[in-house]
Every structure is written in C-alpha cells, then in structure tokens.
Amino acid sequence: MAPTSSPLTLIVATTPVRVASQDPANPEPVTRLGIGLNGTLPWPRIKADMSFFARVTSRAPEPGTTNAIIMGRKTYDSVPKHLRPLGKRISAIITRDTTGSVRKGVEEDLKKRKEKMAALAAAKTAGNVEQKDEPITDAIVVPSLDSALEELQEISGSVQALGKLFVIGGEFGDVDGVKRPLRIVMTNVVRKPEGGEEVPFECDTFWPLDYMDERNGWRSASPQELSEWVGEEVTGEWIREGDVEVQMVGYEKLD
Ligand SMILES: NC(=O)c1ccc[n+]([C@@H]2O[C@H](COP(=O)([O-])OP(=O)(O)OC[C@H]3O[C@@H](n4cnc5c(N)ncnc54)[C@H](OP(=O)(O)O)[C@@H]3O)[C@@H](O)[C@H]2O)c1
C-alpha cells in the first residue's frame, strides 16, 4: 500500500497565454497557463507529450502495484470513449453528481474496457497464464479530492497495491489543503513555426497555479530529479514536433 506520506504528482501540459487582467488595480494583460479549449486540449495531438504522459502515469513503481490518476469529471469525459478509463491505471473521477448517472456511465465504460483488454491479452498470450503482476485497470467515482485519496488508500491491497498517485489536470491542480509531498510534472508547450514567431494557442481552461516559484512555495526540480520521479531520462531540453515545441519540467512544493 502507498503510505500516506508518498507524493502526489500533478501531471499537466500547459501553454502560456496572455489574458485580460481580472484585477482593476493592475489592468495590464497577464500571462496564464492554458490547459484546455472546448472540453479538449488546445493543441492538435502532440505525440511526444501523449506518450510521455502514458508512460509516466502507467509505469508502476514495482511489480504488483498500480498507479492512480485522479481527475475532474470533465477531464474524464475528454478522454476518447473507447480509451476510458485509461488502461493499467486506477482512475478516480471527481463529481458533484448525486443521481448516480456519472457512476453508472463510468461503470459501463469500465466493463467494456475490461472486456476489450481481456480479449487483447488473451490473443497476445494465446491462452497462457494471466500476467498477475501487471497493473490493473479500474475506476472509482468520488465526491472530492480528499475522498479520492481516502478511497484509493482503502482499496489498495484488496486487488493490487497502490503505486504512484497522480492528479491529471483540470481544476484539481489546486491542492493547497493536501497533506502530502506535492510535485508537478509539467510539459511546457509552445507553437513556434520553424524560423517564425511564437503563435499562442487559444485556451478557455487554465491551470490554477500561474507561477511555481519560491514566493509561491514551489521550487524547480533539476532534470536529474525529474528523471527519478518519472522513471525515465528527462533532459529538460525543448523537443520539436512539427510546429510545436515541448519541454518537460518539474516542481516540488516547499514545506
Ligand atoms: N493540458 C492538460 O494536461 C489537461 C489535463 C486535463 C484536462 N485538460 C483539459 O481541461 C479541461 C477540463 O478541465 P476543467 O478544469 O474544465 O474540468 P475538470 O476539473 O476536469 O472537471 C470539472 C468537473 O469536476 C467536478 N468537480 C469540480 N470541482 C468539484 C468539487 N469541488 N467537488 C466535487 N466535484 C467537483 C464537477 O463534475 P460534475 O459536473 O460531474 O459535478 C466539475 O464539472 C478540458 O478542456 C481538458 O481537455 C487538460
């Protein structure tokens, strides 16, 4: 079971956007970190980031453990239906819904997803014994971030031990009340056509934290630390993919 002192990692991709100030005393536009547009990502598919996210969130710390990904209901809905809940991870979906309709939808998605994954696994192993130590695919529906952490802790060990804990964006980047070590694994995204000027992405959803600096209680992690956190080498250098450049960086909340 993951001890309650194990870190909670916020994993997100953001892009800087100039937006109108909400502060009448400082009317100059401010830079915010955009994460979404119209219920989906602001940018077309960025393979380098999507595969990084998939590897990092599904890579269990040891055999027989499964990582958890905690998200708001809208982030869950933004995952293509045939891919949700995301495989080899336990999804915790936070909602205010009390009618049971979100839970019912998630249970139906889970059932279909498990059937599909079982069929794929059977084809792959051609009837050989199931891989017992592989991460499982599961999902829970909860009313808050606190209850997500509690319920994940409770179910840990009943089927498989809990591995790493991630919050995967949306409103739940605001984790001030969480009593655990907090980390951020962030992909910086910019659109910069070769040889041209930066062209900002349009965004309607923003990361709740704008500056992860010491004044706000955060410090930057070195590429070596970030590599240890995520379980693979991260250089911190910008990677170009078409018109877009991405860079993976890390932050840690100071005590
Ligand atoms: N760039 C990235 O890395 C990244 C990552 C994730 C998501 N996104 C994008 O971000 C957008 C979605 O994020 P979002 O911030 O709009 O939504 P979100 O946080 O994913 O989901 C919001 C929903 O969560 C539930 N919720 C929120 N606060 C709650 C509380 N205090 N208690 C209980 N339930 C609560 C509510 O669900 P109910 O309405 O069901 O009650 C609410 O409508 C999409 O555009 C998505 O593509 C981007």
Side-chain angles (χ1 to χ4, degrees), residues 139-160:
I140 57 173
V141 175
V142 288
S144 66
L145 177 60
D146 278 348
S147 49
L149 294 170
E150 267 169 39
E151 210 169 305
L152 286 166
Q153 210 64 52
E154 276 165 24
I155 62 169
S156 175
S158 61
V159 186
Q160 237 196 13

Side-chain angles (χ1 to χ4, degrees), residues 11-15 34-43 49 53 71-79 93-98 102 142-145 168-173 187 204-207:
I11 184 163
V12 66
T14 72
T15 192
I35 63 166
L37 176 68
N38 299 328
T40 181
L41 295 172
W43 40 81
D49 180 52
F53 171 86
M71 69 204 87
R73 194 264 311 157
K74 290 185 185 167
T75 295
Y76 178 75
D77 282 351
S78 75
V79 177
I93 298 112
I94 306 178
T95 177
R96 293 190 181 90
D97 174 59
T98 49
V102 172
V142 288
S144 66
L145 177 60
I168 65 164
E171 290 178 28
F172 296 97
T187 304
D204 62 12
T205 312
F206 297 89
W207 179 241

